Coordinates of all heavy atoms in Angstrom, one line a residue:
M1 N -101.0 16.5 -24.5 CA -100.8 16.1 -23.2 C -102.1 15.5 -22.6 O -103.1 16.0 -22.9 CB -100.4 17.4 -22.3 CG -100.3 17.2 -20.9 SD -100.2 18.6 -19.8 CE -98.7 19.4 -20.4
V2 N -101.8 14.6 -21.8 CA -103.0 13.9 -21.1 C -102.7 14.0 -19.6 O -101.6 13.8 -19.1 CB -103.1 12.4 -21.5 CG1 -104.2 11.7 -20.7 CG2 -103.3 12.3 -23.0
I3 N -103.8 14.5 -18.9 CA -103.7 14.5 -17.5 C -104.9 13.7 -17.0 O -106.0 13.9 -17.4 CB -103.9 16.0 -16.9 CG1 -102.7 16.8 -17.4 CG2 -103.9 16.0 -15.4 CD1 -102.8 18.3 -17.0
V4 N -104.6 12.8 -16.1 CA -105.6 11.9 -15.5 C -105.9 12.3 -14.1 O -105.0 12.4 -13.3 CB -105.2 10.4 -15.5 CG1 -106.2 9.5 -14.9 CG2 -104.9 10.0 -17.0
F5 N -107.2 12.6 -13.8 CA -107.5 13.0 -12.4 C -108.4 11.8 -11.9 O -109.3 11.4 -12.6 CB -108.4 14.3 -12.4 CG -107.7 15.5 -12.7 CD1 -107.8 16.1 -14.0 CD2 -106.9 16.1 -11.9 CE1 -107.0 17.2 -14.4 CE2 -106.2 17.3 -12.1 CZ -106.2 17.8 -13.5
E6 N -108.2 11.5 -10.6 CA -109.1 10.6 -9.9 C -110.1 11.4 -9.2 O -109.9 11.8 -8.1 CB -108.3 9.6 -9.1 CG -109.2 8.5 -8.5 CD -108.4 7.5 -7.7 OE1 -107.1 7.5 -7.8 OE2 -109.0 6.8 -6.9
V7 N -111.2 11.6 -9.8 CA -112.3 12.5 -9.3 C -113.7 11.8 -9.5 O -113.8 10.9 -10.3 CB -112.3 13.9 -9.9 CG1 -111.0 14.7 -9.5 CG2 -112.4 13.9 -11.4
A8 N -114.7 12.4 -8.8 CA -116.0 11.8 -9.0 C -116.7 12.1 -10.3 O -117.5 11.3 -10.8 CB -116.9 12.4 -7.9
G9 N -116.3 13.2 -11.0 CA -116.9 13.5 -12.3 C -116.1 14.6 -13.0 O -115.1 15.1 -12.6
V10 N -116.6 14.9 -14.3 CA -116.0 15.8 -15.1 C -115.9 17.2 -14.5 O -115.0 17.9 -14.7 CB -116.6 15.8 -16.5 CG1 -116.1 16.9 -17.4 CG2 -116.4 14.5 -17.2
D11 N -117.0 17.5 -13.8 CA -117.1 18.9 -13.2 C -115.9 19.1 -12.2 O -115.4 20.2 -12.1 CB -118.4 19.1 -12.6 CG -119.6 19.2 -13.6 OD1 -119.2 19.7 -14.7 OD2 -120.7 18.9 -13.2
D12 N -115.6 18.1 -11.4 CA -114.5 18.2 -10.5 C -113.2 18.4 -11.2 O -112.4 19.2 -10.9 CB -114.4 16.9 -9.6 CG -115.6 16.8 -8.7 OD1 -116.2 17.8 -8.4 OD2 -115.9 15.6 -8.3
A13 N -113.0 17.7 -12.3 CA -111.7 17.8 -13.1 C -111.7 19.3 -13.7 O -110.6 19.9 -13.7 CB -111.6 16.8 -14.2
R14 N -112.8 19.7 -14.2 CA -112.9 21.0 -14.8 C -112.5 22.1 -13.8 O -111.8 23.0 -14.1 CB -114.3 21.3 -15.3 CG -114.4 22.6 -16.1 CD -115.8 22.7 -16.8 NE -115.7 21.9 -18.0 CZ -116.6 20.9 -18.3 NH1 -117.6 20.6 -17.5 NH2 -116.5 20.2 -19.4
R15 N -113.0 22.0 -12.5 CA -112.6 23.0 -11.5 C -111.1 23.0 -11.3 O -110.5 24.1 -11.0 CB -113.4 22.6 -10.2 CG -114.8 23.2 -10.3 CD -115.5 23.2 -8.9 NE -115.6 21.8 -8.4 CZ -116.7 21.0 -8.7 NH1 -117.7 21.5 -9.5 NH2 -116.8 19.8 -8.1
Y16 N -110.4 21.8 -11.3 CA -109.0 21.8 -11.1 C -108.3 22.5 -12.2 O -107.5 23.4 -12.0 CB -108.5 20.4 -11.2 CG -108.6 19.6 -9.8 CD1 -109.5 18.5 -9.7 CD2 -107.8 19.9 -8.8 CE1 -109.6 17.8 -8.6 CE2 -107.8 19.2 -7.6 CZ -108.8 18.2 -7.4 OH -108.8 17.5 -6.3
V17 N -108.6 22.3 -13.5 CA -107.9 22.9 -14.6 C -108.2 24.4 -14.7 O -107.4 25.1 -15.3 CB -108.0 22.1 -15.9 CG1 -107.5 20.7 -15.7 CG2 -109.4 22.1 -16.4
E18 N -109.4 24.8 -14.4 CA -109.7 26.2 -14.5 C -108.8 27.0 -13.6 O -108.7 28.3 -13.8 CB -111.2 26.4 -14.1 CG -112.2 25.9 -15.2 CD -113.6 26.1 -14.8 OE1 -113.9 26.4 -13.5 OE2 -114.4 25.9 -15.7
D19 N -108.2 26.4 -12.6 CA -107.4 27.2 -11.6 C -105.9 27.2 -12.2 O -105.1 28.0 -11.6 CB -107.4 26.5 -10.3 CG -106.9 27.5 -9.2 OD1 -107.2 28.7 -9.3 OD2 -106.3 26.9 -8.2
F20 N -105.6 26.5 -13.2 CA -104.2 26.6 -13.8 C -103.9 28.0 -14.3 O -104.8 28.5 -15.0 CB -104.0 25.5 -14.9 CG -104.0 24.0 -14.4 CD1 -103.9 23.1 -15.4 CD2 -104.2 23.7 -13.1 CE1 -103.9 21.8 -15.0 CE2 -104.2 22.4 -12.8 CZ -104.0 21.4 -13.7
P21 N -102.7 28.5 -14.0 CA -102.5 29.9 -14.6 C -102.6 29.9 -16.1 O -103.1 31.0 -16.6 CB -101.0 30.0 -14.2 CG -100.8 29.2 -12.9 CD -101.6 28.0 -13.2
L22 N -102.1 28.9 -16.9 CA -102.3 29.0 -18.3 C -103.7 28.9 -18.8 O -104.1 29.4 -19.9 CB -101.4 27.9 -19.0 CG -99.9 28.1 -18.9 CD1 -99.1 26.9 -19.5 CD2 -99.4 29.4 -19.5
S23 N -104.6 28.2 -18.0 CA -105.9 28.1 -18.3 C -106.6 29.5 -18.1 O -107.3 30.0 -18.9 CB -106.6 27.1 -17.4 OG -106.2 25.9 -17.7
K24 N -106.3 30.1 -16.9 CA -106.8 31.5 -16.6 C -106.4 32.5 -17.7 O -107.2 33.3 -18.0 CB -106.3 31.9 -15.3 CG -106.9 31.2 -14.1 CD -106.4 31.7 -12.8 CE -107.0 31.0 -11.6 NZ -106.5 31.5 -10.3
A25 N -105.2 32.4 -18.2 CA -104.7 33.3 -19.3 C -105.3 33.0 -20.6 O -105.1 33.8 -21.6 CB -103.1 33.2 -19.3
G26 N -106.0 31.9 -20.8 CA -106.6 31.5 -22.1 C -105.7 30.9 -23.0 O -106.0 30.7 -24.2
Y27 N -104.6 30.3 -22.6 CA -103.6 29.7 -23.5 C -103.8 28.2 -23.6 O -103.2 27.5 -24.5 CB -102.2 29.9 -23.0 CG -101.7 31.3 -23.0 CD1 -101.4 32.0 -21.9 CD2 -101.5 32.0 -24.2 CE1 -100.9 33.3 -21.9 CE2 -101.1 33.2 -24.3 CZ -100.8 33.9 -23.2 OH -100.4 35.2 -23.2
L28 N -104.7 27.6 -22.8 CA -104.9 26.2 -23.0 C -106.4 25.9 -23.3 O -107.3 26.6 -22.8 CB -104.6 25.4 -21.7 CG -103.1 25.5 -21.2 CD1 -103.0 24.9 -19.8 CD2 -102.2 24.8 -22.2
E29 N -106.6 24.9 -24.1 CA -108.0 24.4 -24.4 C -108.1 23.0 -23.9 O -107.2 22.2 -24.1 CB -108.1 24.4 -26.0 CG -109.6 24.0 -26.4 CD -109.7 24.1 -27.8 OE1 -108.8 24.4 -28.6 OE2 -110.9 23.8 -28.3
W30 N -109.1 22.7 -23.2 CA -109.3 21.4 -22.5 C -110.4 20.6 -23.1 O -111.4 21.1 -23.6 CB -109.5 21.6 -21.0 CG -108.3 22.2 -20.3 CD1 -108.2 23.6 -20.1 CD2 -107.3 21.6 -19.8 NE1 -107.0 23.8 -19.4 CE2 -106.4 22.5 -19.2 CE3 -106.9 20.3 -19.7 CZ2 -105.2 22.2 -18.5 CZ3 -105.7 19.9 -19.0 CH2 -104.9 20.9 -18.5
F31 N -110.2 19.3 -23.2 CA -111.3 18.4 -23.5 C -111.3 17.4 -22.5 O -110.3 16.9 -22.0 CB -110.9 17.7 -24.9 CG -110.8 18.6 -26.0 CD1 -109.6 19.1 -26.4 CD2 -111.9 18.9 -26.8 CE1 -109.5 20.0 -27.4 CE2 -111.8 19.8 -27.8 CZ -110.6 20.3 -28.2
Y32 N -112.5 17.0 -22.0 CA -112.7 16.1 -20.9 C -113.3 14.8 -21.4 O -114.4 14.8 -22.0 CB -113.7 16.8 -19.8 CG -113.1 18.1 -19.4 CD1 -113.5 19.2 -20.0 CD2 -112.2 18.2 -18.3 CE1 -113.0 20.5 -19.6 CE2 -111.7 19.4 -17.9 CZ -112.1 20.5 -18.6 OH -111.6 21.7 -18.2
L33 N -112.7 13.7 -21.0 CA -113.2 12.4 -21.4 C -113.3 11.5 -20.1 O -112.3 11.1 -19.6 CB -112.3 11.7 -22.4 CG -111.9 12.4 -23.7 CD1 -110.8 11.8 -24.4 CD2 -113.2 12.4 -24.5
P34 N -114.5 11.3 -19.6 CA -114.6 10.4 -18.4 C -114.3 9.0 -18.8 O -114.8 8.4 -19.8 CB -116.1 10.6 -18.0 CG -116.8 11.1 -19.3 CD -115.8 11.7 -20.1
V35 N -113.5 8.4 -18.0 CA -113.1 7.0 -18.2 C -113.2 6.3 -16.8 O -113.2 6.9 -15.8 CB -111.7 6.8 -18.7 CG1 -111.6 7.4 -20.1 CG2 -110.7 7.5 -17.8
Q36 N -113.4 5.0 -16.9 CA -113.4 4.2 -15.7 C -112.4 3.1 -15.9 O -112.4 2.4 -16.9 CB -114.8 3.6 -15.5 CG -114.9 2.8 -14.2 CD -116.3 2.3 -14.0 OE1 -117.2 2.6 -14.7 NE2 -116.4 1.4 -13.0
A37 N -111.6 2.8 -14.9 CA -110.6 1.7 -14.9 C -111.4 0.4 -14.8 O -112.3 0.3 -14.1 CB -109.6 1.8 -13.8
P38 N -111.0 -0.6 -15.6 CA -111.7 -1.9 -15.5 C -111.5 -2.7 -14.2 O -112.3 -3.5 -13.9 CB -111.1 -2.7 -16.7 CG -109.7 -2.1 -16.9 CD -109.8 -0.6 -16.5
L39 N -110.5 -2.4 -13.6 CA -110.1 -3.1 -12.3 C -109.7 -2.1 -11.3 O -109.2 -1.0 -11.7 CB -109.0 -4.1 -12.4 CG -109.2 -5.3 -13.3 CD1 -107.9 -6.1 -13.4 CD2 -110.2 -6.2 -12.6
P40 N -109.8 -2.4 -10.0 CA -109.2 -1.4 -9.0 C -107.8 -1.2 -9.3 O -107.0 -2.3 -9.4 CB -109.4 -2.1 -7.7 CG -110.5 -3.1 -7.9 CD -110.4 -3.5 -9.4
L41 N -107.3 -0.1 -9.6 CA -105.9 0.2 -10.0 C -105.0 -0.2 -8.9 O -103.8 -0.5 -9.1 CB -105.6 1.6 -10.4 CG -106.3 2.0 -11.7 CD1 -106.0 3.5 -12.0 CD2 -105.9 1.1 -12.9
E42 N -105.5 -0.2 -7.6 CA -104.7 -0.6 -6.5 C -104.2 -2.0 -6.6 O -103.2 -2.4 -6.1 CB -105.4 -0.5 -5.2 CG -105.8 1.0 -4.9 CD -107.1 1.5 -5.6 OE1 -107.7 0.7 -6.3 OE2 -107.3 2.7 -5.5
S43 N -104.9 -2.9 -7.4 CA -104.5 -4.3 -7.5 C -103.2 -4.4 -8.2 O -102.5 -5.4 -8.1 CB -105.6 -5.0 -8.3 OG -105.7 -4.6 -9.7
L44 N -102.7 -3.4 -9.0 CA -101.4 -3.4 -9.6 C -100.3 -3.3 -8.7 O -99.2 -3.7 -8.9 CB -101.4 -2.3 -10.8 CG -102.4 -2.5 -11.8 CD1 -102.3 -1.2 -12.8 CD2 -102.2 -3.7 -12.7
M45 N -100.6 -2.6 -7.6 CA -99.6 -2.4 -6.6 C -99.7 -3.2 -5.3 O -98.8 -3.2 -4.5 CB -99.6 -0.9 -6.2 CG -99.3 0.0 -7.5 SD -99.9 1.6 -7.4 CE -101.5 1.4 -8.1
D46 N -100.9 -3.7 -5.1 CA -101.1 -4.4 -3.8 C -101.9 -5.8 -4.1 O -103.1 -5.7 -4.5 CB -102.0 -3.6 -2.9 CG -102.2 -4.2 -1.5 OD1 -101.9 -5.3 -1.2 OD2 -102.8 -3.5 -0.6
A47 N -101.2 -6.9 -3.9 CA -101.8 -8.2 -4.2 C -103.0 -8.5 -3.4 O -103.8 -9.4 -3.7 CB -100.7 -9.2 -4.1
S48 N -103.2 -7.8 -2.3 CA -104.4 -8.2 -1.4 C -105.7 -7.5 -1.8 O -106.7 -7.8 -1.2 CB -104.0 -7.8 0.1 OG -104.0 -6.3 0.1
V49 N -105.7 -6.7 -2.8 CA -106.9 -6.0 -3.3 C -107.7 -7.0 -4.0 O -107.2 -7.8 -4.8 CB -106.5 -4.8 -4.2 CG1 -107.8 -4.2 -4.8 CG2 -105.8 -3.8 -3.4
D50 N -109.1 -7.0 -3.7 CA -110.0 -7.9 -4.3 C -110.2 -7.6 -5.8 O -110.7 -6.5 -6.1 CB -111.4 -7.8 -3.5 CG -112.4 -8.8 -4.1 OD1 -112.1 -9.7 -4.9 OD2 -113.6 -8.5 -3.8
V51 N -109.9 -8.6 -6.6 CA -110.2 -8.3 -8.1 C -111.2 -9.2 -8.7 O -111.3 -9.4 -9.9 CB -108.8 -8.4 -8.9 CG1 -107.9 -7.3 -8.5 CG2 -108.1 -9.7 -8.7
A52 N -111.9 -9.9 -7.8 CA -113.0 -10.9 -8.3 C -114.2 -10.1 -8.8 O -114.4 -8.9 -8.4 CB -113.4 -11.7 -7.1
E53 N -114.9 -10.7 -9.7 CA -116.1 -10.1 -10.2 C -117.1 -10.0 -9.0 O -117.1 -10.7 -8.1 CB -116.7 -10.9 -11.3 CG -115.9 -10.8 -12.6 CD -116.6 -11.5 -13.8 OE1 -117.8 -11.5 -13.8 OE2 -115.9 -12.0 -14.6
P54 N -118.0 -9.0 -9.0 CA -118.2 -7.9 -10.0 C -117.0 -6.9 -9.9 O -116.7 -6.6 -8.7 CB -119.5 -7.4 -9.7 CG -119.7 -7.5 -8.2 CD -119.0 -8.8 -7.9
Y55 N -116.6 -6.4 -10.9 CA -115.5 -5.4 -10.9 C -116.1 -4.0 -10.5 O -115.4 -3.2 -9.8 CB -114.8 -5.2 -12.2 CG -114.2 -6.5 -12.7 CD1 -114.6 -7.1 -13.9 CD2 -113.3 -7.1 -11.9 CE1 -114.0 -8.3 -14.2 CE2 -112.7 -8.3 -12.3 CZ -113.1 -8.9 -13.5 OH -112.5 -10.0 -13.9
D56 N -117.3 -3.7 -10.9 CA -117.9 -2.5 -10.5 C -118.5 -2.6 -9.1 O -119.5 -3.2 -8.9 CB -119.1 -2.1 -11.4 CG -119.8 -0.8 -11.1 OD1 -119.3 -0.1 -10.2 OD2 -120.8 -0.5 -11.7
R57 N -117.9 -1.9 -8.2 CA -118.3 -2.0 -6.8 C -119.1 -0.7 -6.4 O -119.3 -0.4 -5.2 CB -117.2 -2.1 -5.8 CG -116.5 -3.5 -6.1 CD -115.2 -3.7 -5.3 NE -114.7 -5.0 -5.3 CZ -114.2 -5.5 -6.4 NH1 -114.0 -4.9 -7.5 NH2 -113.6 -6.8 -6.3
T58 N -119.6 0.1 -7.4 CA -120.3 1.3 -7.1 C -121.8 1.1 -6.8 O -122.5 1.9 -6.3 CB -120.2 2.3 -8.2 OG1 -120.7 1.8 -9.4 CG2 -118.7 2.7 -8.4
T59 N -122.3 -0.2 -7.2 CA -123.7 -0.4 -7.0 C -123.8 -1.9 -6.3 O -123.0 -2.7 -6.6 CB -124.5 -0.5 -8.3 OG1 -123.9 -1.4 -9.2 CG2 -124.5 0.9 -9.0
P60 N -124.8 -2.1 -5.5 CA -124.9 -3.4 -4.9 C -125.3 -4.4 -6.0 O -126.0 -4.2 -6.9 CB -126.0 -3.3 -3.9 CG -126.8 -2.0 -4.3 CD -125.9 -1.2 -5.1
H61 N -124.7 -5.6 -5.9 CA -125.0 -6.7 -6.8 C -125.6 -7.8 -6.1 O -125.3 -8.2 -5.0 CB -123.6 -7.1 -7.5 CG -123.0 -6.1 -8.4 ND1 -123.3 -5.9 -9.6 CD2 -122.1 -5.2 -8.1 CE1 -122.7 -4.9 -10.2 NE2 -121.9 -4.5 -9.3
Q62 N -126.4 -8.6 -6.9 CA -127.0 -9.8 -6.4 C -126.1 -11.0 -6.7 O -125.4 -11.0 -7.7 CB -128.4 -10.0 -7.0 CG -129.4 -8.9 -6.7 CD -130.7 -9.2 -7.5 OE1 -130.7 -10.0 -8.5 NE2 -131.6 -8.5 -7.1
S63 N -126.1 -12.0 -5.8 CA -125.4 -13.2 -6.1 C -126.1 -14.0 -7.3 O -127.3 -14.2 -7.2 CB -125.3 -14.1 -4.9 OG -124.6 -13.5 -3.9
A64 N -125.3 -14.4 -8.2 CA -125.9 -15.2 -9.3 C -125.9 -16.6 -9.0 O -125.0 -17.2 -8.4 CB -125.1 -14.9 -10.6
T65 N -127.0 -17.3 -9.4 CA -127.1 -18.8 -9.2 C -127.1 -19.4 -10.6 O -127.5 -18.7 -11.6 CB -128.4 -19.2 -8.4 OG1 -129.5 -18.6 -9.1 CG2 -128.3 -18.7 -7.0
P66 N -126.6 -20.6 -10.8 CA -126.6 -21.1 -12.2 C -128.0 -21.1 -12.9 O -128.9 -21.4 -12.2 CB -126.1 -22.5 -12.0 CG -125.4 -22.5 -10.7 CD -126.0 -21.5 -9.8
G67 N -128.0 -20.6 -14.1 CA -129.2 -20.4 -14.8 C -130.1 -19.2 -14.5 O -131.1 -18.9 -15.2
S68 N -129.7 -18.4 -13.6 CA -130.4 -17.1 -13.3 C -129.9 -16.0 -14.1 O -128.8 -16.0 -14.6 CB -130.3 -16.8 -11.8 OG -129.0 -16.4 -11.6
V69 N -130.8 -15.0 -14.4 CA -130.5 -13.8 -15.1 C -130.5 -12.7 -14.2 O -131.4 -12.4 -13.4 CB -131.5 -13.5 -16.3 CG1 -131.1 -12.2 -16.9 CG2 -131.4 -14.7 -17.2
I70 N -129.4 -11.9 -14.1 CA -129.4 -10.7 -13.3 C -129.5 -9.4 -14.1 O -129.0 -9.3 -15.1 CB -128.0 -10.6 -12.4 CG1 -127.9 -11.8 -11.6 CG2 -127.9 -9.3 -11.7 CD1 -126.7 -11.9 -10.8

């Protein structure tokens, strides 16, 4: 089974599943794999979402000029 959580990090996901009754009873074993979507997933449902580069909007980016290296 795969469960996808939209959370800030693995620790947040771990806190969610630790509260599951089957987790508390020791019947489930969990593996955590942090992943990042390549585009804003909202773009699949809303055409007005900005999907232009840079895709990673978690850090400020400089504007590139031809021939420059960022």
Side-chain angles (χ1 to χ4, degrees):
M1 173 190 300
V2 174
I3 299 176
V4 178
F5 292 101
E6 188 174 342
V7 294
V10 172
D11 292 333
D12 293 333
R14 186 172 281 125
R15 280 193 293 274
Y16 276 111
V17 299
E18 285 174 351
D19 198 36
F20 291 179
L22 291 175
S23 294
K24 288 180 179 181
Y27 291 117
L28 297 177
E29 182 178 2
W30 294 95
F31 298 93
Y32 303 91
L33 302 170
V35 296
Q36 180 177 357
L39 292 173
L41 292 179
E42 294 83 5
S43 67
L44 299 173
M45 296 155 271
D46 183 355
S48 68
V49 172
D50 177 18
V51 293
E53 289 188 32
Y55 300 124
D56 178 10
R57 291 174 176 71
T58 60
T59 58
H61 294 276
Q62 299 173 345
S63 298
T65 55
S68 67
V69 177
I70 297 179

